[in-house]
Amino acid sequence: MISAQKIKSIVLTLAVLSSTAVFSAEDNNLNEYYLGVFMGEKKTPNYSGPLDPRTEISSGGLILLDDIFKDQYLNQQIQDVPFSLHRYWFNEVVEKSTCPDSTLNENMDYIRYLYRLVTMSYLFEGVKLNNKMASQLGGKNICSISFKDVFQGCTPESTDMKKFYERVYGKFVNEIEKSHTPQLSKKDMATFIDEFQGSTSLTSNPTFSRLHDWCIANKKNCRALKIEEIKEALGGFCNDDKKMMKVLCSEKDNFYGLSGISIATDLIKTSNAFNLINQTGMGEECLRRYGKLFQGKESPYASLSKQYPLMYSYLLKNNTTYPQGELFLPGALKEFDMKGLSDFLSALKPPKVEPVVIVRPKPKPKPKPVVVIAPKVEEKAPEVVPVVVAEPEKPHVSEFEHGVLEMKEKNLSSYSLDMDTFRDDFEFTSAMIAELSGPIKKFQTRSALNDMKSYDLLGSAEAPVGLVFLKFLIDTENHQGLYNIVQVLGEKFYVSNDIEKKTTAHYIELKNDASTKNRWTIIMLKK
């Protein structure tokens, strides 16, 4: 029998030989391993294990391969099938059942656009506050909010961003650039300084919070900050925010689902733009899956993580109409584009013109000659019946187009439409009324009309109101919607005859008073 001592000696010898073989076969791997080690000395742990004295670097420290082997030993002895099934069930079945790939792919570009849009809108809210504070402190040109200064250099690529860029220009020209903030008086200036110096970094004021962060970063004492230093900081905030807005507008960013900022997702879910993502009822899950899917590709934006909740709280506290920020709506009108005053009525067909049938009476048959033996009688020539051709019916001219012709041919200054004839030219079926009532209900409000007037110049010669929109409101006696149009656009504005697919803009007056017997009447005017 072989003694236990000899067995131990043989096992030890085999272990040494096998270790030598392993090391000689892995010389190249060892060389590569040492080349990848961080520069500088590392404290190595004492080795007393049975297998492998090597280590690997993890999170800047050294870990023995023996320890890794021990931690993963059980999993290596179990077949991979259960783990594959676990991954398949939770990563494929459960994850994709609430938002399938087809649904996500259909909305992916628009989802990313909305995250960019809401971020630009919140950045601009910060720019406005910086502009207001700088103006109050006497710094007129520190933080300009003109369209040129905010968006010059933006090169949008997607269709949605291009439309936003065009629409937001009107918002700036008509509203934002006309705003003015006067400088504070000496008394108010002193009150402002006391208010700021009495605040802390935990303040809910978005601008004060950024100023406190600026003081910490620049090792300043906020309680002794001078006016010029505050203006310098505000100018820096403004430049940084506008630079980021241009990057977002040009779609050159690393923004996806803003996974670390839940408020951005909540803002999208409560906006009108969410309706387009949620058509299948999976919008919320698709937003969640999108954020999770692209979480690893996002760059961290530390300042936004703090500014988002502060700005959201500030807007709610000040009862702002749009918690998504002022610039969100001009970029979230895709639903208006898809079901707009002209587009959503494209399903309506113009009145059919019946084909003109020419009635041609059949000629009478020629009488056959009668042969007689009697004295010859001269045969009468067959009677020729004249063919009566019915005059072709004139194509129907609608009352609106009749008014256009009357104005042109008679050089009239105005022409009042016969509203009974106008009503009979085209009648809305019950199915049409049911289909259009929903979209038109949204567009007839003062808020929607104001937005379309501001962003799309609704009622102008460039963007006339669809005639069928007016006709629908008149025919269904929607007086509130018609009064809203008059209040927002005025009594006189441009319309186009989209019922008959004509795009020419015509200047009209929409009237309802004693002169029209308190009946809504369209009067064509010469401009």
Side-chain angles (χ1 to χ4, degrees), residues 140-160:
K140 293 183 179 180
N141 300 317
I142 289 177
C143 185
S144 169
I145 54 173
S146 68
F147 179 82
K148 180 179 179 181
D149 288 333
V150 175
F151 282 107
Q152 187 177 35
C154 166
T155 54
E157 296 181 357
S158 67
T159 302
D160 291 315

Side-chain angles (χ1 to χ4, degrees), residues 339 344-345 347-348 426-442 472 475-476:
K339 300 178 181 180
F344 84 97
L345 295 167
L348 298 179
F426 176 84
E427 294 186 12
F428 293 95
T429 66
S430 56
M432 288 178 181
I433 293 174
E435 182 182 352
L436 299 178
S437 293
I440 284 184
K441 188 176 182 180
K442 297 179 183 178
F472 183 89
D475 288 2
T476 56

Side-chain angles (χ1 to χ4, degrees), residues 173-453:
V173 173
N174 296 326
E175 298 178 32
I176 296 172
E177 292 182 3
K178 292 181 180 180
S179 63
H180 173 69
T181 302
Q183 184 175 346
L184 295 175
S185 63
K186 290 184 178 180
K187 181 180 178 181
D188 291 335
M189 187 83 74
T191 303
F192 166 81
I193 294 297
D194 290 341
E195 182 183 357
F196 169 65
Q197 291 181 347
S199 66
T200 68
S201 58
L202 299 178
T203 177
S204 61
N205 184 306
T207 310
F208 282 5
S209 175
R210 293 186 78 171
L211 285 170
H212 280 286
D213 290 342
W214 183 85
C215 288
I216 294 171
N218 291 275
K219 299 180 179 179
K220 300 277 188 178
N221 180 6
C222 270
R223 297 188 182 279
L225 211 58
K226 298 178 181 177
I227 295 294
E228 291 304 317
E229 291 177 310
I230 293 177
K231 291 194 285 189
E232 177 189 347
L234 293 174
F237 303 155
C238 195
N239 291 334
D240 290 344
D241 290 348
K242 288 193 285 190
K243 183 179 179 181
M244 179 57 68
M245 288 179 68
K246 290 175 185 176
V247 172
L248 288 165
C249 180
S250 300
E251 301 171 278
K252 305 292 185 185
D253 57 273
N254 287 325
F255 278 70
Y256 289 90
L258 298 180
S259 53
I261 308 174
S262 60
I263 290 178
T265 302
D266 294 336
L267 289 170
I268 292 174
K269 286 193 290 188
T270 55
S271 71
N272 63 298
F274 182 65
N275 295 334
L276 297 178
I277 304 171
N278 198 38
Q279 290 178 354
T280 59
M282 299 178 179
E284 192 168 343
E285 284 300 315
C286 283
L287 286 177
R288 182 194 60 78
R289 188 180 169 207
Y290 179 85
K292 183 178 178 181
L293 192 63
F294 291 99
Q295 183 176 358
K297 296 188 68 175
E298 285 189 316
S299 297
Y301 297 97
S303 61
L304 285 177
S305 299
K306 186 175 183 180
Q307 286 300 305
Y308 249 108
L310 287 174
M311 189 59 68
Y312 177 70
S313 175
Y314 175 83
L315 293 176
L316 290 183
K317 184 179 179 181
N318 287 272
N319 297 317
T320 307
T321 306
Y322 301 110
Q324 293 84 7
E326 189 174 7
L327 297 190
F328 185 83
L329 188 60
L333 296 176
K334 191 170 185 176
E335 187 178 14
F336 284 68
D337 295 331
M338 295 174 67
K339 300 178 181 180
L341 294 179
S342 58
D343 293 343
F344 84 97
L345 295 167
S346 61
L348 298 179
K349 305 297 181 185
K352 288 185 178 180
V353 179
E354 298 294 335
V356 178
V357 180
I358 301 176
V359 181
R360 297 179 182 275
K362 294 182 179 180
K364 294 182 179 180
K366 295 179 182 180
K368 293 183 179 180
V370 180
V371 180
V372 293
I373 302 175
K376 293 182 179 180
V377 180
E378 290 185 4
E379 184 181 336
K380 292 183 179 181
E383 183 180 354
V384 179
V385 179
V387 178
V388 180
V389 180
E391 290 185 8
E393 295 182 9
K394 294 181 179 180
H396 173 74
V397 178
S398 66
E399 175 63 13
F400 187 85
E401 290 302 317
H402 175 70
V404 173
L405 292 174
E406 288 286 304
M407 293 277 291
K408 183 177 180 181
E409 292 175 357
K410 298 182 180 180
N411 195 26
L412 301 177
S413 59
S414 66
Y415 178 87
S416 183
L417 297 187
D418 184 329
M419 297 308 290
D420 289 327
T421 306
F422 178 69
R423 181 194 61 208
D424 296 337
D425 280 337
F426 176 84
E427 294 186 12
F428 293 95
T429 66
S430 56
M432 288 178 181
I433 293 174
E435 182 182 352
L436 299 178
S437 293
I440 284 184
K441 188 176 182 180
K442 297 179 183 178
F443 304 138
Q444 71 185 24
T445 63
R446 290 194 185 189
S447 168
L449 290 168
N450 269 314
D451 291 336
M452 289 185 285
K453 180 183 178 182

